[in-house]
Amino acid sequence: MKKVALFLFILLTSVNSIIAQTKTDQAAAPVLDRELFFGNPEIAGGQLSPDGKWISFMKEYQGIMNIWVKKFDEPFEKAVTLTDSKRPLQTYFWTDDSKYILYIKDKNGDENMNIYAVNPTDKTAVGKIPESRNLTPLKDVAAQIHTVSKKNPDLLMVGLNDRDKAWHDLYQLKISNGQLTKIYENKDRITGYDFDWDENLRVLSKTDEKGNTVMYKKASGALTPIYETSVTEQAYIAGWSRDNKLAYLVTNKGDLNLSSLFTLEIENNKLTKIESDPNNKVDFGSLSMDENTREIIYTSYTDDKTQYYWKNKEWETNYNYLKSKFPGREVDFQSATKNYKKFLIAVSGDKYASEAYFFNTETKELILQYVPRPELKKVEQYLAEMNSVHYKSSDGLEITAYLTLPVGVSNKNLPVVMLIHGGPKGPRVQWGYNSYAQFLANRGYAVLQPNFRASGGYGKKFLNAGDLQWGKLMQDDITYGVKYLIEQGIANKDKVAIMGGSYGGYATLAGLAFTPDLYACGVDIVGPCNIFTLLESIPAYWESGRAFLYGMVGDPNTEEGKKSIREASPLFSADKIVKPLLIIQGANDPRVKKAEADQITIALREKGKKVTYLLADDEGHGFRKPVNNMAMFAETEKFLASILGGQYQKEMPADVAKRLNEMTVDISKVTYEAK
């Protein structure tokens, strides 16, 4: 796609039809090794170089996922290692001239990102790993990539908050020598920089103290306002017309509930609607554009599944051909050569281990390249279907959720794990393979993943219905999911757990505190317990979103806001938590700091409640290292089995056992000093 954004900041069926699909002729699944779900994949993240001469991919090096490369026509066994990072790498990409691979990396999860470059064809490093160059060697800086040049592939446009930790200045970065040239000094609360096809800076966005955002066109050095949205609305530029006169604007401003696609004529501010969801149910999803012709390839919308609306017949023909080869699965054009003639495609589904294929559009040649988890592929008959279900919350609002049921057992009176996603406002659960859900279903649990109010994609009203409803109506959306499963006979009402990460961790604590009789236990992964301290500790570069956050949970500077925050914070209702709790935290988390885990641990310890605390000293907001994940899930499945009675894998490798021992905190020694 035209813009690369690397700034980090996470099947409509009735229950009756699901129950009817019970696989009575299939034996119950054996306990699958947790490494099949959470260990390093053998190969992942493959990309074709733009010139088609190379394939790069992620593979383990000294236990950590790093970048490898091979010539296109070589076997994968001939690949060479490009990086030797001690922290798993996640995102990388080629420059348009196929000369460099760029990637980002932080330090042990602190989210202070630096941008690195490595030359995959470095001839001076035969037999050695090439040197990766840190292009932004600055401390405590969260680098952003705004545009990767195609006119001059040696250039990037990047944002750096080195001058002011709260705001990113715009720089031109020369990859070959690391030269940085400041383009725009951000003294005006700029939160976005948009470049057209010719790589001219055309639109800047400013967000004020109230959270309102104004887009400005840049012409002759002057900034002129062209579009404005409030803190409860959204607007962003998704692309440009061929002649750069029109911006493709996605917005839900004013009377619009569902975000829709418009063209915005920059010179006269003329706004013309292009399309919205034909079924009038969900927000605009994505816009894909051909970087050669500058024409739209497709638009998409995600309801229970994703629907593509093709604007280019050739692309549509290729997509339909591939879909015919992989029934019941989804096909994703993962990477392509510059002329879009050769692709790496990813094939995946809810109960399928993913695969990667080479596809030649001219010959229709389709060649399997690799299977990320080949051992999981061998046992995929034991993977479970994911189906969407719908139920009403306490106020009648319809909630969409995804239900995954264990394979080969009766779908009645099951232990349940409510698996709650993070966010809120943006993320949502989507149909497809989910390692958490599959792992838990394999252990014998029904898994429900609700898209509670404030989940993204269901319109502005649904999104903003969660404002000031943390622990209240948002929690009801989860509670009524439990009730729904009980009414349908699926759930054993005495064996329901709640588990989640980030906001899902908060919902876990809120569930145990505010509905103490509903759950048998909870697993809180990097979840906040005290919204006051959560707000006090947000990273400096989140300053533009402060009003947005206050709108969600309350303004701590007002008496009304303080009351709302206190009521919603599980810490102040810790005396009501009576069920066992497992807390999992990264020591370097910049979003939900270690203090959140410490506070709730101390509160429960002092009241003699059962709490287990795992702390990884080399992780942040979620775990990335496989040994940490394996340790976390070894403890999680043991914890759940002891209370819900599910299966669990008792044995674990020595390194995982050692790491689990290191991560287990002596709660008698946990301290917290309020600032």
Side-chain angles (χ1 to χ4, degrees), residues 317-329 331 366:
T317 298
N318 286 326
Y319 177 76
N320 289 335
Y321 172 79
L322 292 169
K323 285 284 287 184
S324 71
K325 298 294 183 181
F326 303 104
R329 288 184 275 179
V331 173
L366 190 61

Side-chain angles (χ1 to χ4, degrees), residues 20 46 81 91 93 157 173 190 212 215 218 303 315 333 336 368 403 405 617 632:
T81 315
T91 303
F93 60 94
M157 293 295 181
L173 171 60
I190 300 296
N212 305 312
M215 289 182 173
K218 185 176 184 296
D303 190 5
W315 279 78
F333 293 96
L368 177 66
L403 179 61
L405 296 171
D617 59 4
M632 173 178 78

Side-chain angles (χ1 to χ4, degrees), residues 352-386:
Y352 300 97
S354 63
E355 300 170 320
Y357 288 82
F358 167 76
F359 177 56
N360 187 318
T361 62
E362 295 178 313
T363 65
K364 297 298 184 286
E365 183 180 33
L366 190 61
I367 304 173
L368 177 66
Q369 295 297 295
Y370 60 86
V371 177
R373 297 184 182 275
E375 295 304 310
L376 183 64
K377 189 73 180 173
K378 294 176 183 178
V379 295
E380 71 179 6
Q381 71 269 30
Y382 299 120
L383 297 182
E385 292 182 0
M386 172 190 276

